[in-house]
Amino acid sequence: MVLIYIDQDEQEIKKASFEAISYGATIAKQLGTTAEALLLGTVKNNLADLGKWGANKVHHVNNIVLNSFDARVNATVVAETAKSLGATVLIFAHNLNGRAIAPAVAVKLGAGIVTGACALPKTDAGFVVTKTVFSGKAFASIEISTPIKVISINQNSFGTVISDAIATVHELAVAVPSSTLKITSVHKIQGEVPLTEASLVVSGGRGLKGPEHWGVLLDLAKALGASTACSRPVSDADWRPHHEHVGQTGIQIAPNLYIAIGISGAIQHLAGVNRSKTIVVINKDGEAPFFKAADYGVVGDAFEVVPALTAAILKSKSNA
Amino acid sequence: MKILVCISKTPDTTTKIAFTEGNTKLDENGVQWIINPYDEWYSLVKAIELKEKDASVTIHLITVGGADTEPIIRKALALGGDEAIRVNNNSNDSFIVAQEIAAIAKEGSYDLILTGKETIDYNSASIGSMLCALLDQNFISAAVKLDLNGNTLQVVREIDGGEETGELNFPAIISCQKGMAEQRIPNMRGIMAARTKPLKVVEASVTNATTHIKNFELPPAKSGVKLIDPDNMDELVRLLKEEAKVI
Ligand SMILES: Cc1cc2nc3c(=O)[nH]c(=O)nc-3n(C[C@H](O)[C@H](O)[C@H](O)COP(=O)(O)OP(=O)(O)OC[C@H]3O[C@@H](n4cnc5c(N)ncnc54)[C@H](O)[C@@H]3O)c2cc1C
Ligand SMILES: Nc1ncnc2c1ncn2[C@@H]1O[C@H](COP(=O)(O)O)[C@@H](O)[C@H]1O
């Protein structure tokens, strides 16, 4: 049985978990077994709906204590549940919570783990999982040789498969160890799609010359409904908040569209964005290294090109 | 307070990645090895900051790796570690590495274990979480801030789309990322002192790998950038809609 961990935040199931269900359900089909989801805590979502993404069953540990995330506690509950249900493959989203517990769960189950997978495992001979390594500069195929296998799946790398199916919901009584971690505050960036979940991202570099010039970029992001990101020197100089910094030492993202404005394309920057499906580069220097990694390029001054692009997008939207 | 800082070695961030032996091994020709940036800039410097505030803090470094990791561990000593342990195990299976670190951690009873958020070569982001299970201690991942208030640790971690602050006691395991501390450069005095700081070598004790790398692959090269006239943004919008189908 394939068991998929459902991550929640403020009683909402995370987008990454829907993708994880579809991924796990596809593996279950491949292996001729069932896909079952596991949710800790309470959520507002209708759990039977998880069938849409491919879960045959949803196991629910309905304990409000589990609404706040404690890696030690959550990993223990997930491992105990996986053992009692007899799961042979465990799937996590490779988001922040998934990363925090999947390896701990693997240890508790004596299971081999591949984190940050980017494709379905090959299960015809052995069990081989492909993941990105060297910060997106290469892929590795890794064989898991233990009876139980654990995978965390990179966000935006599989997509979701949706049907009309409904899942059966099973309430589970599981002993929950007491938490010695006290969450004292949560700070959310208001009104924005988290960068790691965004499918469209507009990003700015030092080429924009200063925080006072960000308006052109923000207008474009607004026209597209995109999230905003930046290069490291930009956040280091406090032109933009640190949570926007993408790259090797920042956030790694894989949106459908990444528009880089006034960013040279240093290898450390590319490491955070090279898994994007489509890359557009706007740079006044036709020799900028970023053009080598781009699908579409515009050689020109950002302060002219970007407003023109925004206008073209608004025009095409009003025609649609 | 005893802090154990986990130090790993990775290829320099500008390394051009290539493979040998039928794409089963990283081509180490011309590779410059560095301390994994998360370990150096964030965990180690955070430990140094804690020591600067409280002289009773001792900083213990651990690396699991062959003799070729010694220059890295010496550099970490030069930055400010007090002493180091190298477990002579070349495995890149996270489970093995975590078990080696856990064995040392159990013996040394450290108050705090710091790791990096992930290594920039295999990007596993696993060791901290594995230590949480092996040692049954609290674990905060992807921490951006850590303050000490008597015996209480106040840690801010990144969550999807924001930050969360939590309070916990020792012992604890924290994986560190940007925000924790500011990068430092080793000075001459540190480099001289590092030469004589203790570096103990412990033989490997774990060998049961759970995963094996079968082969590596480079991503297919981009077919080449399509350049669009800056005066024709309608064309770019059309391509994004009809060809790339992303908007
Ligand atoms: C270990 C390490 C880790 C790092 N990690 C990261 C990381 O995570 N993320 C990251 O981003 N960087 C990282 N860096 C830094 C990286 O090497 C580059 O220095 C950085 O990405 C450059 O940022 P930039 O492209 O904004 O600025 P620049 O390199 O200064 O590029 C600015 C670009 O803007 C263009 N430009 C100027 N004016 C205009 C205009 N009017 N219109 C259009 N274009 C214009 C220029 O032609 C140029 O290409 C790291 C470095 C190291 C050593
Ligand atoms: N071989 C190793 N020796 C010591 N520490 C390591 C080793 N590998 C990883 N680590 C630590 O674990 C962190 C996360 O690494 P990883 O889980 O491999 O991505 C690193 O930033 C290091 O702090």
Side-chain angles (χ1 to χ4, degrees):
Chain A
M1 180 264 278
V2 177
L3 189 66
I4 302 122
Y5 174 79
I6 304 300
D7 192 26
Q8 62 140 317
D9 184 26
E10 296 180 329
Q11 306 211 51
E12 298 276 358
I13 292 177
K14 297 259 189 73
K15 183 182 162 199
S17 292
F18 296 116
E19 188 177 8
I21 299 175
S22 287
Y23 178 75
T26 311
I27 297 174
K29 279 208 194 91
Q30 210 169 300
L31 297 171
T33 181
T34 54
E36 307 185 10
L38 171 62
L39 172 78
L40 311 189
T42 58
V43 290
K44 295 178 193 135
N45 309 61
N46 177 353
L47 295 185
D49 278 351
L50 295 182
K52 278 191 197 162
W53 287 272
N56 304 106
K57 284 186 189 174
V58 180
H59 301 282
H60 183 204
V61 184
N62 189 350
N63 187 330
I64 200 158
V65 171
L66 293 166
N67 286 4
S68 76
F69 183 86
D70 177 338
R72 191 180 123 264
V73 171
N74 283 42
T76 305
V77 174
V78 174
E80 288 308 316
T81 312
K83 264 186 223 162
S84 69
L85 296 172
T88 52
V89 178
L90 280 84
I91 306 295
F92 294 81
H94 194 58
N95 65 350
L96 283 146
N97 287 349
R99 269 176 235 199
I101 61 170
V105 171
V107 163
K108 286 173 186 284
L109 298 173
I113 177 169
V114 173
T115 56
C118 59
L120 286 168
K122 291 195 192 72
T123 51
D124 39 356
F127 194 99
V128 180
V129 189
T130 303
K131 70 165 289 183
T132 48
V133 288
F134 300 101
S135 308
K137 288 187 235 169
F139 299 101
S141 293
I142 301 177
E143 173 152 35
I144 305 182
S145 49
T146 48
I148 301 179
K149 282 100 179 156
V150 180
I151 305 176
S152 69
I153 164 90
N154 257 341
Q155 284 174 263
N156 262 345
S157 62
F158 186 72
T160 50
V161 186
I162 296 182
S163 74
D164 298 329
I166 47 170
T168 55
V169 179
H170 303 253
E171 298 294 334
L172 287 183
V174 181
V176 177
S178 61
S179 173
T180 50
L181 167 68
K182 194 170 100 205
I183 306 298
T184 52
S185 73
V186 175
H187 172 76
K188 280 288 177 64
I189 304 141
Q190 286 308 317
E192 280 177 50
V193 181
L195 254 185
T196 48
E197 289 183 8
S199 54
L200 307 174
V201 175
V202 178
S203 185
R206 205 145 52 176
L208 285 176
K209 311 249 165 15
E212 67 278 17
H213 300 305
W214 238 257
V216 289
L217 185 152
L218 298 176
D219 288 345
L220 173 61
K222 192 161 168 238
L224 279 168
S227 296
T228 50
C230 68
S231 69
R232 185 169 132 201
V234 165
S235 69
D236 279 354
D238 282 328
W239 294 359
R240 296 295 297 167
H242 283 266
H243 62 78
E244 284 196 0
H245 159 201
V246 293
Q248 185 134 44
T249 45
I251 297 176
Q252 283 95 45
I253 56 173
N256 291 335
L257 175 63
Y258 183 75
I259 304 184
I261 303 168
I263 304 176
S264 56
I267 196 158
Q268 297 94 354
H269 183 85
L270 295 180
V273 302
N274 54 13
R275 290 190 298 110
S276 308
K277 294 215 170 71
T278 300
I279 295 180
V280 175
V281 168
I282 299 171
N283 196 304
K284 71 173 186 192
D285 173 10
E287 301 293 311
F290 218 147
F291 284 112
K292 288 206 179 68
D295 300 281
Y296 304 105
V298 184
V299 181
D301 187 332
F303 298 105
E304 290 159 20
V305 173
V306 177
L309 177 57
T310 306
I313 285 164
L314 292 173
K315 190 171 88 190
S316 105
K317 281 200 168 161
S318 65
N319 290 344
Chain B
M1 179 174 52
K2 285 176 80 177
I3 308 179
L4 184 66
V5 182
C6 302
I7 300 286
S8 55
K9 137 180 175 279
T10 55
D12 176 75
T13 53
T14 55
T15 305
K16 195 163 175 353
I17 300 298
F19 302 103
T20 60
E21 298 181 29
N23 282 335
T24 57
K25 269 214 160 75
L26 175 70
D27 183 355
E28 298 193 2
N29 247 323
V31 171
Q32 280 256 30
W33 296 96
I34 59 167
I35 307 176
N36 184 41
Y38 291 105
D39 309 353
E40 176 185 342
W41 304 355
Y42 308 126
S43 2
L44 178 55
V45 177
K46 185 75 227 183
I48 296 169
E49 284 177 3
L50 290 172
K51 188 182 165 104
E52 283 166 352
K53 281 196 198 131
D54 172 359
S56 72
V57 168
T58 52
I59 303 175
H60 308 256
L61 310 177
I62 180 165
T63 192
V64 179
D68 57 346
T69 52
E70 292 203 357
I72 297 302
I73 204 102
R74 285 283 172 210
K75 184 177 173 206
L77 286 168
L79 277 160
D82 291 311
E83 53 179 71
I85 297 173
R86 174 170 73 82
V87 183
N88 192 26
N89 190 334
N90 241 328
S91 173
N92 52 26
D93 182 81
S94 299
F95 205 162
I96 290 187
V97 172
Q99 286 177 76
E100 295 285 17
I101 296 174
I104 300 291
K106 276 181 188 153
E107 236 168 73
S109 29
Y110 302 92
D111 302 289
L112 190 60
I113 302 179
L114 301 180
T115 76
K117 177 176 96 161
E118 65 180 26
T119 56
I120 62 167
D121 47 6
Y122 295 105
N123 310 112
S124 306
S126 294
I127 300 296
S129 176
M130 288 184 167
L131 290 174
C132 160
L134 291 166
L135 301 169
D136 192 27
Q137 292 179 7
N138 273 327
F139 171 52
I140 306 288
S141 67
V144 295
K145 199 164 181 282
L146 185 161
D147 290 309
L148 197 58
N149 198 342
N151 259 338
T152 308
L153 288 164
Q154 195 176 59
V155 188
V156 183
R157 73 164 180 128
E158 185 193 347
I159 55 176
D160 293 301
E163 290 178 352
E164 181 182 85
T165 308
E167 281 179 6
L168 60 158
N169 293 322
F170 297 121
I173 304 152
I174 317 267
S175 88
C176 308
Q177 63 161 331
K178 187 180 169 184
M180 270 297 218
E182 292 289 335
Q183 181 183 5
R184 294 190 185 185
I185 313 281
N187 57 30
M188 210 48 207
R189 209 165 51 120
I191 295 169
M192 298 305 285
R195 293 195 188 155
T196 54
K197 284 180 181 171
L199 193 170
K200 190 166 108 188
V201 180
V202 177
E203 275 319 308
S205 60
V206 195
T207 49
N208 53 327
T210 54
T211 59
H212 306 268
I213 297 180
K214 304 221 18 159
N215 66 283
F216 293 102
E217 210 180 314
L218 293 172
K222 286 257 175 191
S223 54
V225 58
K226 213 175 244 185
L227 288 180
I228 290 119
D229 183 341
D231 292 326
N232 193 358
M233 285 302 99
D234 290 334
E235 173 64 2
L236 178 56
V237 172
R238 188 190 68 77
L239 288 167
L240 292 176
K241 268 189 159 166
E242 293 170 16
E243 188 176 78
K245 300 191 173 63
V246 288
I247 58 172

